[in-house]
Amino acid sequence: MGKAPLKIVWTTERINSLGKLMKPWSCFELLLSVPESEEQCEMLSRLFQSIQDSHNALLQFGDNSLEVLADVAKEGVWKNPVLLKIISQQPVEAEEVNKLVKREGPAFLQLRIKHLMKTNGIPQATTLSKLCKESTEISNTAPFLQAYITCLCSMPPNEESIKEIAKVDCKDALDMICNLEAEGQDRTAFILCTTYLTQQLQTASVYCSWELTLFWSKLQRRIDPSLDSFLERCRQFGIIARTLQHLFFLIRVIQAE
Protein backbone atom coordinates (compact mmCIF):
# COMPACT_ATOMS: atom_id res chain seq x y z
CA MET A 1 0.00 0.00 0.00
CA GLY A 2 1.56 3.32 -1.05
CA LYS A 3 2.15 6.17 1.33
CA ALA A 4 -0.33 9.06 1.34
CA PRO A 5 1.07 12.30 -0.08
CA LEU A 6 2.61 14.60 2.48
CA LYS A 7 0.26 17.45 3.37
CA ILE A 8 1.91 20.74 4.34
CA VAL A 9 0.27 22.58 7.22
CA TRP A 10 0.67 26.33 6.65
CA THR A 11 1.39 27.80 10.06
CA THR A 12 2.16 31.49 10.65
CA GLU A 13 5.80 30.58 11.36
CA ARG A 14 6.07 28.63 8.10
CA ILE A 15 4.49 31.49 6.16
CA ASN A 16 6.95 34.00 7.67
CA SER A 17 9.84 31.73 6.70
CA LEU A 18 8.48 31.46 3.16
CA GLY A 19 8.27 35.24 2.92
CA LYS A 20 11.92 35.54 3.88
CA LEU A 21 13.08 32.83 1.47
CA MET A 22 11.09 34.11 -1.51
CA LYS A 23 12.69 37.55 -1.74
CA PRO A 24 10.72 39.51 -4.36
CA TRP A 25 13.64 41.70 -5.50
CA SER A 26 16.06 38.79 -5.94
CA CYS A 27 13.45 36.78 -7.85
CA PHE A 28 12.56 39.78 -10.00
CA GLU A 29 16.23 40.34 -10.90
CA LEU A 30 16.42 36.67 -11.89
CA LEU A 31 13.33 36.99 -14.08
CA LEU A 32 14.74 40.07 -15.80
CA SER A 33 17.87 38.17 -16.79
CA VAL A 34 15.95 35.34 -18.48
CA PRO A 35 15.95 35.59 -22.31
CA GLU A 36 12.44 35.60 -23.77
CA SER A 37 13.27 32.49 -25.80
CA GLU A 38 13.87 30.51 -22.59
CA GLU A 39 10.77 31.57 -20.65
CA GLN A 40 8.95 28.33 -21.51
CA CYS A 41 11.70 25.90 -20.44
CA GLU A 42 10.79 23.34 -17.77
CA MET A 43 13.02 24.72 -15.03
CA LEU A 44 11.64 28.24 -15.40
CA SER A 45 8.08 26.95 -15.59
CA ARG A 46 8.69 25.28 -12.24
CA LEU A 47 10.05 28.55 -10.84
CA PHE A 48 6.98 30.46 -12.09
CA GLN A 49 4.72 27.84 -10.53
CA SER A 50 6.67 28.04 -7.26
CA ILE A 51 6.19 31.82 -7.20
CA GLN A 52 2.44 31.42 -7.83
CA ASP A 53 2.09 28.71 -5.16
CA SER A 54 3.99 30.83 -2.64
CA HIS A 55 1.80 33.83 -3.46
CA ASN A 56 -1.37 31.75 -2.98
CA ALA A 57 -0.11 30.43 0.35
CA LEU A 58 0.79 33.88 1.63
CA LEU A 59 -2.59 35.26 0.56
CA GLN A 60 -4.29 32.88 2.99
CA PHE A 61 -2.65 34.88 5.76
CA GLY A 62 -3.42 38.26 4.24
CA ASP A 63 0.10 38.77 2.86
CA ASN A 64 0.17 39.98 -0.76
CA SER A 65 3.89 40.85 -0.92
CA LEU A 66 4.39 38.46 -3.86
CA GLU A 67 1.41 39.67 -5.88
CA VAL A 68 3.38 41.80 -8.35
CA LEU A 69 6.05 39.12 -8.77
CA ALA A 70 3.37 36.49 -9.43
CA ASP A 71 1.64 38.76 -11.98
CA VAL A 72 4.92 39.45 -13.79
CA ALA A 73 5.84 35.75 -13.89
CA LYS A 74 2.39 34.90 -15.27
CA GLU A 75 2.22 37.73 -17.81
CA GLY A 76 5.84 37.76 -18.96
CA VAL A 77 8.60 40.07 -17.78
CA TRP A 78 8.38 42.53 -20.69
CA LYS A 79 4.86 41.74 -21.95
CA ASN A 80 3.08 44.62 -20.19
CA PRO A 81 1.53 46.89 -22.89
CA VAL A 82 3.13 50.06 -21.45
CA LEU A 83 6.55 48.42 -21.24
CA LEU A 84 6.19 47.16 -24.81
CA LYS A 85 5.56 50.74 -25.95
CA ILE A 86 8.63 51.97 -24.07
CA ILE A 87 10.85 49.20 -25.43
CA SER A 88 9.71 49.98 -28.99
CA GLN A 89 10.16 53.74 -28.38
CA GLN A 90 6.47 54.57 -28.90
CA PRO A 91 4.75 57.55 -27.20
CA VAL A 92 3.34 56.75 -23.74
CA GLU A 93 0.69 58.73 -21.88
CA ALA A 94 1.36 59.90 -18.31
CA GLU A 95 -1.76 58.07 -17.12
CA GLU A 96 -0.41 54.80 -18.50
CA VAL A 97 2.89 55.33 -16.70
CA ASN A 98 1.09 56.09 -13.43
CA LYS A 99 -0.83 52.82 -13.73
CA LEU A 100 2.44 50.95 -14.28
CA VAL A 101 3.98 52.65 -11.24
CA LYS A 102 0.98 51.73 -9.07
CA ARG A 103 1.18 48.14 -10.28
CA GLU A 104 4.92 47.50 -9.91
CA GLY A 105 6.18 50.15 -7.50
CA PRO A 106 9.40 52.20 -7.69
CA ALA A 107 11.69 49.38 -6.51
CA PHE A 108 10.85 47.01 -9.39
CA LEU A 109 11.02 49.86 -11.91
CA GLN A 110 14.49 50.79 -10.67
CA LEU A 111 15.57 47.18 -11.24
CA ARG A 112 14.15 47.32 -14.77
CA ILE A 113 16.11 50.48 -15.54
CA LYS A 114 19.35 49.04 -14.15
CA HIS A 115 18.85 45.89 -16.22
CA LEU A 116 18.28 47.91 -19.40
CA MET A 117 21.41 49.96 -18.72
CA LYS A 118 23.49 46.81 -18.19
CA THR A 119 22.20 45.17 -21.37
CA ASN A 120 22.86 48.09 -23.72
CA GLY A 121 19.26 49.26 -23.64
CA ILE A 122 20.28 52.85 -22.90
CA PRO A 123 17.58 54.52 -25.08
CA GLN A 124 14.87 52.43 -23.39
CA ALA A 125 16.36 53.05 -19.93
CA THR A 126 16.46 56.77 -20.71
CA THR A 127 12.78 56.82 -21.65
CA LEU A 128 11.65 54.73 -18.67
CA SER A 129 13.67 56.72 -16.13
CA LYS A 130 12.40 60.02 -17.60
CA LEU A 131 8.78 58.85 -17.41
CA CYS A 132 9.25 57.65 -13.83
CA LYS A 133 10.91 60.86 -12.64
CA GLU A 134 7.93 62.78 -14.02
CA SER A 135 5.31 60.46 -12.53
CA THR A 136 3.05 61.93 -9.85
CA GLU A 137 2.81 58.48 -8.24
CA ILE A 138 6.46 58.45 -7.10
CA SER A 139 7.33 60.53 -4.03
CA ASN A 140 11.11 60.08 -4.18
CA THR A 141 12.13 60.64 -7.80
CA ALA A 142 15.85 61.17 -7.02
CA PRO A 143 16.93 57.62 -8.08
CA PHE A 144 15.11 58.01 -11.40
CA LEU A 145 16.60 61.46 -12.00
CA GLN A 146 20.06 60.00 -11.37
CA ALA A 147 19.38 57.13 -13.79
CA TYR A 148 18.06 59.55 -16.40
CA ILE A 149 21.05 61.90 -16.22
CA THR A 150 23.44 58.94 -16.20
CA CYS A 151 21.81 57.62 -19.38
CA LEU A 152 22.11 61.03 -21.06
CA CYS A 153 25.80 61.20 -20.16
CA SER A 154 26.31 57.69 -21.59
CA MET A 155 25.05 58.71 -25.02
CA PRO A 156 26.66 60.99 -27.63
CA PRO A 157 25.93 64.59 -26.61
CA ASN A 158 23.22 66.53 -28.44
CA GLU A 159 21.42 69.80 -27.90
CA GLU A 160 18.44 68.22 -26.13
CA SER A 161 20.57 66.20 -23.67
CA ILE A 162 22.72 69.24 -22.87
CA LYS A 163 19.57 71.24 -22.05
CA GLU A 164 18.24 68.44 -19.85
CA ILE A 165 21.54 68.15 -17.96
CA ALA A 166 21.65 71.93 -17.48
CA LYS A 167 18.30 71.81 -15.67
CA VAL A 168 19.77 69.79 -12.79
CA ASP A 169 21.03 71.76 -9.80
CA CYS A 170 24.78 71.32 -9.36
CA LYS A 171 24.34 70.23 -5.74
CA ASP A 172 22.01 67.43 -6.90
CA ALA A 173 24.62 66.50 -9.51
CA LEU A 174 27.25 66.22 -6.78
CA ASP A 175 24.96 63.89 -4.82
CA MET A 176 24.59 61.72 -7.93
CA ILE A 177 28.35 61.62 -8.42
CA CYS A 178 28.85 60.59 -4.78
CA ASN A 179 26.20 57.87 -5.10
CA LEU A 180 27.75 56.47 -8.28
CA GLU A 181 31.20 56.46 -6.71
CA ALA A 182 29.84 54.65 -3.64
CA GLU A 183 28.30 52.03 -5.95
CA GLY A 184 31.71 51.47 -7.57
CA GLN A 185 30.68 53.12 -10.85
CA ASP A 186 33.75 55.35 -11.07
CA ARG A 187 33.69 55.73 -14.85
CA THR A 188 30.04 56.81 -14.92
CA ALA A 189 30.70 59.19 -12.02
CA PHE A 190 33.66 60.59 -13.96
CA ILE A 191 31.57 61.15 -17.11
CA LEU A 192 28.89 62.92 -15.09
CA CYS A 193 31.44 65.03 -13.22
CA THR A 194 33.29 65.98 -16.42
CA THR A 195 30.02 66.92 -18.11
CA TYR A 196 28.97 69.30 -15.32
CA LEU A 197 32.42 70.78 -14.87
CA THR A 198 32.71 71.46 -18.61
CA GLN A 199 29.30 73.10 -18.57
CA GLN A 200 30.30 75.34 -15.66
CA LEU A 201 33.56 76.36 -17.30
CA GLN A 202 31.70 77.30 -20.47
CA THR A 203 28.93 79.24 -18.70
CA ALA A 204 31.18 80.95 -16.11
CA SER A 205 29.09 79.51 -13.27
CA VAL A 206 31.05 78.98 -10.04
CA TYR A 207 28.26 77.39 -7.96
CA CYS A 208 29.80 74.31 -6.28
CA SER A 209 32.70 74.54 -8.75
CA TRP A 210 35.41 73.79 -6.22
CA GLU A 211 33.68 70.58 -5.13
CA LEU A 212 33.19 69.58 -8.78
CA THR A 213 36.83 70.29 -9.65
CA LEU A 214 38.03 68.34 -6.62
CA PHE A 215 35.84 65.34 -7.46
CA TRP A 216 36.89 65.48 -11.09
CA SER A 217 40.61 65.49 -10.24
CA LYS A 218 40.22 62.53 -7.88
CA LEU A 219 38.25 60.48 -10.42
CA GLN A 220 40.55 61.44 -13.30
CA ARG A 221 43.62 60.28 -11.39
CA ARG A 222 41.89 57.06 -10.34
CA ILE A 223 40.80 56.16 -13.87
CA ASP A 224 44.02 57.33 -15.55
CA PRO A 225 46.99 57.52 -13.10
CA SER A 226 49.19 59.24 -15.71
CA LEU A 227 50.25 62.67 -14.45
CA ASP A 228 50.83 63.84 -18.01
CA SER A 229 47.22 62.98 -18.94
CA PHE A 230 45.98 64.79 -15.86
CA LEU A 231 47.97 67.93 -16.69
CA GLU A 232 46.78 67.85 -20.29
CA ARG A 233 43.14 67.64 -19.23
CA CYS A 234 43.67 70.54 -16.82
CA ARG A 235 45.22 72.54 -19.67
CA GLN A 236 42.21 71.83 -21.88
CA PHE A 237 39.86 72.94 -19.11
CA GLY A 238 41.95 76.06 -18.60
CA ILE A 239 41.51 77.01 -22.26
CA ILE A 240 37.70 77.00 -22.05
CA ALA A 241 37.48 78.51 -18.55
CA ARG A 242 35.88 81.95 -18.52
CA THR A 243 36.65 83.02 -14.95
CA LEU A 244 39.82 83.45 -12.92
CA GLN A 245 38.18 81.50 -10.10
CA HIS A 246 37.96 78.38 -12.24
CA LEU A 247 41.61 78.77 -13.21
CA PHE A 248 42.49 79.12 -9.54
CA PHE A 249 40.63 75.87 -8.74
CA LEU A 250 42.53 74.06 -11.49
CA ILE A 251 45.83 75.37 -10.19
CA ARG A 252 44.97 74.15 -6.71
CA VAL A 253 44.31 70.56 -7.83
CA ILE A 254 47.49 70.60 -9.93
CA GLN A 255 49.50 71.71 -6.91
CA ALA A 256 47.87 69.00 -4.83
CA GLU A 257 49.08 66.37 -7.30
Side-chain angles (χ1 to χ4, degrees), residues 98-141:
N98 288 337
K99 286 182 180 179
L100 178 65
V101 171
K102 285 181 180 179
R103 176 181 182 261
E104 293 203 354
F108 276 11
L109 289 169
Q110 286 181 53
L111 290 175
R112 285 191 184 280
I113 292 167
K114 288 181 179 178
H115 174 77
L116 288 169
M117 292 172 72
K118 288 178 182 176
T119 55
N120 297 321
I122 296 296
Q124 292 83 359
T126 305
T127 302
L128 182 55
S129 56
K130 185 177 188 292
L131 292 170
C132 287
K133 82 177 182 68
E134 295 172 350
S135 172
T136 56
E137 296 295 328
I138 299 177
S139 56
N140 179 22
T141 58

Side-chain angles (χ1 to χ4, degrees), residues 24-47:
W25 292 277
S26 298
C27 286
F28 191 68
E29 281 188 294
L30 176 62
L31 294 180
L32 288 174
S33 65
V34 176
E36 189 175 338
S37 59
E38 296 180 15
E39 285 185 5
Q40 301 303 319
C41 77
E42 183 182 352
M43 187 174 294
L44 284 171
S45 296
R46 286 163 57 188
L47 172 62

Side-chain angles (χ1 to χ4, degrees), residues 216-227:
W216 171 82
S217 65
K218 182 174 71 169
L219 290 167
Q220 167 69 33
R221 293 287 281 147
R222 187 182 299 167
I223 291 170
D224 183 358
S226 169
L227 185 58

Side-chain angles (χ1 to χ4, degrees), residues 244-257:
L244 288 175
Q245 197 164 351
H246 280 127
L247 289 174
F248 176 66
F249 292 154
L250 290 168
I251 291 169
R252 285 182 65 182
V253 293
I254 290 171
Q255 289 177 333
E257 294 298 333

